[in-house]
Amino acid sequence: MSLRDRLSGPDIVVAPGIYDALTASLAEAAGFGALYLSGAAMAYTRLGGPDLGLVTMSETAEAIRLIRERVKAPLIVDGDTGYGNALNVERTVRAFERAGANAIQIEDQTFPKRCGHLADKSLVAREEMAGKIRAAAASRGSQEFLIIARTDAVAVEGLDAALTRADAYLEAGADLLFVEAPRDHAMLSTITARLGNRAPLMANMVEGGLTPMLDARELQALGYRLVIFPGGIVRAVAKIAEAYYASLAAHGTNAPFRDRMFDFNELNQRMGTVEALRRAAAYDREEGR
């Protein structure tokens, strides 16, 4: 089923954050119908640094290619600002679509951007962002590749301006709208009341962020069609990795941490090692022997 079809279905689409082929494969195995390649999660894991626009278009495209080799689930990709102007957006859309993405999210911050739940963001003009959305829509090879327009205007210009920007981006060709970092339940409800009958809406749940944490059913009741949990996996992995390294340094062995780890065979089972070796052996056998 395509991502567009899933968004038209009866239930909200829940897309967990991923950052590589391993996390993608584990998320798909858990049963999720869509995955979200988070720019923040890539910055945290690939660079060991903050989400400040440091991940490049080519790095993201390479991550998409590697993830697509491992999973079949629809892949929504954080494209930051499109990595430049409308011409950069054209190239980004073509690269991401060829690599195997099913949707791109583009935001209206200036470059370098910053995490949507950090302070002191700044925006490009509404007309410039609308031009980027037009460029994205014109550059895709298939209408099944979706354009998600994100506005960070709530924190900079206020909710009314954010809704006006979202309207303009929809008119420019966006398939979904994402008003980032509403600060309370009332803002979440206002967004769906104003925009929900015009386009599918996306929500972003960030532990410790500016938006109240609601579960998928609550967001669906408000009128949202897609919810992402972009950085949750990194916050989980980082916490357990910190505890693991502290334990190993203290004890000189993994024994005290053993019940919190996969063993060698358990991890290989999830990697499909036995099946890969079976295929390799089959290729080595001569036909008819």
Side-chain angles (χ1 to χ4, degrees):
M1 182 186 297
S2 72
L3 180 59
R4 188 183 293 277
D5 289 340
R6 291 178 188 275
L7 291 166
S8 300
D11 297 321
I12 189 170
V13 175
V14 179
I18 60 168
Y19 55 84
D20 62 5
L22 172 60
T23 52
S25 65
L26 293 172
E28 185 178 59
F32 289 100
L35 309 174
Y36 181 81
L37 179 55
S38 163
M42 287 187 62
Y44 301 151
T45 57
R46 291 176 67 93
L47 307 179
D51 179 21
L52 296 175
L54 300 176
V55 177
T56 66
M57 185 271 280
S58 58
E59 288 172 329
T60 305
E62 176 64 12
I64 296 167
R65 284 191 289 271
L66 294 173
I67 291 165
R68 182 51 73 210
E69 287 183 16
R70 191 69 172 83
V71 303
K72 296 180 180 179
L75 185 59
I76 304 162
V77 179
D78 180 0
D80 285 346
T81 63
Y83 308 99
N85 63 18
L87 296 181
N88 296 99
V89 169
E90 286 182 338
R91 183 166 181 251
T92 297
V93 166
R94 291 193 294 265
F96 284 13
E97 188 175 12
R98 284 195 303 267
N102 302 96
I104 185 173
Q105 171 199 304
I106 304 171
E107 64 201 53
D108 57 6
Q109 287 194 53
T110 56
F111 189 84
K113 55 76 52 99
R114 59 180 62 201
C115 172
H117 291 254
L118 291 176
D120 300 323
K121 295 181 287 186
S122 59
L123 308 178
V124 299
R126 185 178 68 208
E127 295 77 12
E128 179 179 344
M129 178 62 177
K132 289 186 179 185
I133 298 301
R134 286 192 293 272
S139 301
R140 59 184 165 183
S142 168
Q143 292 299 307
E144 292 299 317
F145 182 87
L146 303 183
I147 312 299
I148 303 172
R150 165 178 151 178
T151 179
D152 285 75
V154 169
V156 181
E157 301 173 344
L159 180 58
D160 286 342
L163 296 172
T164 298
R165 280 177 173 263
D167 278 328
Y169 305 159
L170 182 62
E171 292 298 323
D175 300 294
L176 287 86
L177 297 174
F178 172 21
V179 179
E180 172 67 301
R183 293 186 296 273
D184 51 41
H185 197 281
M187 278 192 178
L188 286 163
S189 298
T190 299
I191 291 165
T192 56
R194 169 75 175 269
L195 300 172
N197 63 344
R198 301 197 62 206
L201 301 180
M202 173 173 147
N204 179 18
M205 296 290 102
V206 178
E207 301 81 6
L210 299 173
T211 302
M213 291 294 293
L214 303 181
D215 65 35
R217 288 174 296 179
E218 292 172 312
L219 290 164
Q220 179 173 322
L222 287 175
Y224 288 89
R225 301 300 307 143
L226 171 64
V227 55
I228 61 171
F229 293 81
I233 181 59
V234 182
R235 284 182 279 279
V237 167
K239 185 167 185 176
I240 198 167
E242 184 176 75
Y244 164 77
Y245 289 125
S247 176
L248 180 58
H251 301 287
T253 174
N254 284 333
F257 214 82
R258 176 64 188 83
D259 62 351
R260 301 172 65 184
M261 301 167 61
F262 289 137
D263 69 16
F264 180 79
N265 293 320
E266 288 169 333
L267 186 59
N268 273 294
Q269 186 274 327
R270 285 157 178 83
M271 298 302 100
T273 303
V274 171
E275 171 60 19
L277 292 173
R278 186 199 63 77
R279 294 199 314 273
Y283 289 130
D284 288 340
R285 289 194 297 268
E286 291 184 31
E287 252 339 284
R289 291 191 60 181

